[in-house]
Amino acid sequence: MHADDQVGEGVSADLARFLRSTGDNRPVNIVPAVCGRCGGRVFSVLVDDVEGAAERVCARCGGRAFIADSEEFWDDADPGEAGCPCGSEEFETAVAFSLADDGSVRWVTVGLRCQTDGAVGVYADWKIDYGPTDHLFGRV
C-alpha cells in the first residue's frame, strides 16, 4: 500500500489489496459501489474495456448506475456482462482511482470480487486525460 492510499468503508480486504497491487506506485482512492436506491452492495456489471466504460446493476433492486465517466462513452461501447470463471455473475464492486501528484484522477480501475468463490479481478480500466476530476469519486 502507498502511504497516501485511501480505502472506503465496506471494501473487502481481499479486493482492496488486489486493486492496490494492480496499479503503479501512485496513491489510490478505492471506493466501494453502493446502490443509491437500496444500499445494496452486490452487482452484475457490464464492461467494455476497449472504450473504457462500465455500468453496474444492483442484484437486490435492479438499480443501474454508470461507473466514473462511463455514461459519456456508453453509446460507442459494446459492453459484455462480467463473469467469474466459476460461472457467477454477482460481485462486490469497487473502483481504484489512481491519483496524480496534484490529486486529480489519472486512471480508473474497476475491480470485482465474486460472491460465490471470492475470486478477485480487474474487469475494466481506463485513463483519464482531462480535469477537473473530483466528480468521478461520487460515481461508483
Side-chain angles (χ1 to χ4, degrees):
M1 297 290 265
H2 190 280
D4 295 325
D5 287 351
Q6 295 179 18
V7 179
E9 185 177 331
V11 178
S12 69
D14 289 346
L15 186 54
R17 193 170 32 257
F18 180 79
L19 281 168
R20 181 61 211 141
S21 74
T22 63
D24 52 19
N25 197 30
R26 296 177 189 247
V28 295
N29 188 349
I30 300 173
V31 180
V34 179
C35 179
R37 287 192 347 195
C38 74
R41 291 180 175 256
V42 175
F43 302 93
S44 60
V45 182
L46 300 167
V47 295
D48 182 338
D49 197 31
V50 173
E51 286 298 322
E55 180 185 32
R56 61 176 171 77
V57 181
C58 180
R60 186 187 301 166
C61 74
R64 302 176 82 91
F66 290 106
I67 294 175
D69 59 355
S70 296
E71 186 172 14
E72 297 172 34
F73 305 99
W74 202 250
D75 288 342
D76 295 324
D78 184 21
E81 190 157 6
C84 180
C86 79
S88 176
E89 295 177 342
E90 292 190 341
F91 301 93
E92 169 194 358
T93 303
V95 175
F97 295 100
S98 180
L99 307 177
D101 292 338
D102 66 0
S104 63
V105 175
R106 287 293 155 241
W107 204 262
V108 174
T109 304
V110 178
L112 305 179
R113 181 177 175 276
C114 178
Q115 293 299 284
T116 300
D117 68 3
V120 293
V122 169
Y123 283 75
D125 60 347
W126 59 91
K127 185 174 178 156
I128 302 296
D129 57 3
Y130 60 85
T133 60
D134 290 345
H135 67 287
L136 297 176
F137 297 117
R139 295 183 179 171
V140 177

